[in-house]
Amino acid sequence: MRIERIELQVIRLRLQEPFRISSGQTHERRILLLKVEGEGARGYGECVADETPHYSYETVQTARWVLEQHLIPAALAREFASASEFAALLAAAARGHPMAKAALEMAVWDLEARRRGVSLAALLGGSKQAVEAGVSLGIREEVEELLERIGRFWAEGYRRVKLKIAPGRDVGVLESVRSRFPDLPLMVDANAAYTPAELEHVARLDAFGLMMIEQPFAADELLAHAELQARLATPVCLDESITSPATCALAIRLGSCRTVNIKAGRVGGHAASLEIHDLCARAGVPVWCGGMLESGIGRAHNVALASLPNFRLPGDTSASRRYWARDVVRPEFELQPDGTLAVPAGPGIGVEVDEGFLKTLEVAKASFRRG
């Protein structure tokens, strides 16, 4: 394959409402998008990095610099056989920076799928026509407000609810939630808000009949996660700790988790995600697809990935209107009556990118061509 042109575009897209996790609150997303052209087709990718380095060391600014200075020049200077081989090209161009790499790599997967006239899901090896959808709810000061929102989203048909938690916003909140919703499929996500010294406290969450406890400790605390998992009946799920197939294999070998959250935009793209998926499948560890407040472009990539067989739990693949008054793709993603999202069957990501709307959101743009 040969890439002729790459366009980088930064947009601002305001959330329907602020979204708060243990590390901070987000009101709007500054999103870096990539458009890759070649072989008579165009592919789209989205960078999931935030503006600030609180969730990850990568930011929109660092991703843009790495893309412009290293990754894009490498992509335009070389040819490659397929999207599945493109990740190796990017690995040679720069060390680390998986979010920046994923934005470009995933755009190439979309490009190849469109060029072949097949859906991205099919190109990745997915077979599902729909994927189970869950909803993720940020931290709320008022518990009654949180309970109202849980009831509303549950009534809409979402198949599970995920609550963000943090020290001081955990046990008491869960007591109230379970009192109101004793049978709700429920999980919690700490985003590494606790330390291993708080293991006994985190272990108290085992009493609430949770589907899983996601990422209680820091990414590199695999031994602490293993100690916690040995104490719990509830599965521990790792997210930030899963930085590569190698770290996933280590986590499984140590017994640090019993489920894995795969975020293609965080682990370097689809090639790494497929390797993690297959590794977990061989180990009998179910996976699910997390979200990073993506626009419809990133959501389309996530839905395609979640169509693979070992994605056995509802993901954070909520409908477009959960986050945005207006999404950047048409049709927008909608929750079906059975609590699923349809997997687009058209070529590539299977949805049309609203270029006119993107233009109204644009705050920066740059274009690069083969020399």
Side-chain angles (χ1 to χ4, degrees):
M1 292 178 65
R2 177 185 173 97
I3 297 174
E4 300 293 344
R5 179 175 178 270
I6 298 175
E7 182 178 291
L8 181 152
Q9 185 179 37
V10 181
I11 65 169
R12 283 195 177 274
L13 191 60
R14 190 162 187 84
L15 289 158
Q16 289 265 41
E17 59 188 17
F19 191 80
R20 179 183 169 191
I21 66 174
S22 60
S23 60
Q25 182 166 272
T26 302
H27 294 268
E28 69 174 10
R29 290 277 288 150
R30 186 182 179 97
I31 302 173
L32 189 160
L33 302 175
L34 287 177
K35 306 168 193 177
V36 176
E37 297 179 356
E39 308 286 336
R42 168 184 282 187
Y44 291 86
E46 175 173 340
C47 182
V48 300
D50 291 329
E51 287 191 74
T52 60
H54 293 112
Y55 176 85
S56 164
Y57 70 85
E58 288 189 84
T59 66
V60 173
Q61 186 174 353
T62 64
R64 182 176 179 181
W65 186 86
V66 169
L67 281 160
E68 292 185 346
Q69 299 299 316
H70 298 281
L71 304 182
I72 290 175
L76 291 172
R78 296 171 176 82
E79 297 185 17
F80 47 95
S82 66
S84 61
E85 298 182 6
F86 187 65
L89 184 155
L90 296 181
R95 180 175 296 182
H97 302 279
M99 293 180 179
K101 289 176 178 175
L104 184 52
E105 192 251 26
M106 292 164 76
V108 170
W109 277 92
D110 183 28
L111 173 71
E112 179 171 345
R114 291 174 189 266
R115 184 176 64 84
R116 293 190 181 190
V118 301
S119 70
L120 176 61
L123 184 62
L124 292 171
S127 56
K128 302 173 189 173
Q129 295 182 332
V131 298
E132 293 183 286
V135 66
S136 177
L137 302 182
I139 296 170
R140 293 272 166 170
E141 292 298 331
E142 299 297 328
V143 174
E144 192 58 40
E145 181 183 5
L146 176 63
L147 294 175
E148 183 277 327
R149 290 172 58 72
I150 292 172
R152 174 155 53 89
F153 284 112
W154 183 236
E156 285 184 18
Y158 284 102
R159 293 196 177 185
R160 67 104 171 104
V161 172
K162 179 170 85 173
L163 301 181
K164 298 291 185 176
I165 60 170
R169 303 296 299 175
D170 45 29
V171 173
V173 172
L174 287 172
E175 288 174 342
S176 297
V177 172
R178 275 303 183 216
S179 178
R180 181 79 61 88
F181 304 100
D183 301 318
L184 176 73
L186 181 68
M187 62 174 287
V188 295
D189 180 10
N191 291 114
Y194 300 88
T195 69
E198 297 170 289
L199 188 148
E200 292 292 337
H201 176 76
V202 177
R204 294 176 61 190
L205 304 183
D206 207 23
F208 293 101
L210 302 172
M211 295 175 67
M212 67 191 81
I213 301 169
E214 185 179 356
Q215 199 67 47
F217 307 132
D220 58 356
E221 294 284 4
L222 291 180
L223 290 177
H225 281 111
E227 183 180 352
L228 177 65
Q229 183 64 93
R231 294 275 303 276
L232 300 180
T234 306
V236 170
C237 173
L238 292 183
D239 173 11
E240 288 95 324
S241 294
I242 308 301
T243 57
S244 66
T247 57
C248 183
L250 179 60
I252 292 172
R253 175 71 64 88
L254 292 173
S256 302
C257 64
R258 293 210 297 268
T259 62
V260 166
N261 176 358
I262 300 180
K263 293 176 177 174
R266 190 182 58 72
V267 301
H270 286 310
S273 297
L274 292 174
E275 195 172 344
I276 293 169
H277 168 275
D278 294 349
L279 186 159
C280 289
R282 291 192 296 271
V285 174
V287 302
W288 58 280
C289 187
M292 299 280 286
L293 300 180
E294 291 98 336
S295 76
I297 294 172
R299 193 169 310 281
H301 279 279
N302 288 345
V303 169
L305 181 66
S307 70
L308 272 72
N310 197 41
F311 283 87
R312 292 187 271 149
L313 299 165
D316 288 338
T317 48
S318 303
S320 293
R321 69 182 181 89
R322 161 71 184 96
Y323 296 111
W324 317 112
R326 178 179 173 183
D327 208 342
V328 302
V329 300
R330 294 288 183 270
E332 295 190 357
F333 286 91
E334 295 184 356
L335 188 69
Q336 300 186 121
D338 65 350
T340 65
L341 296 185
V343 177
I349 59 174
V351 290
E352 179 184 354
V353 177
D354 191 340
E355 293 283 358
F357 184 45
L358 283 182
K359 188 64 178 176
T360 68
L361 305 171
E362 184 179 287
V363 295
K365 186 176 182 179
S367 185
F368 309 86
R369 294 184 179 274
R370 181 174 284 268

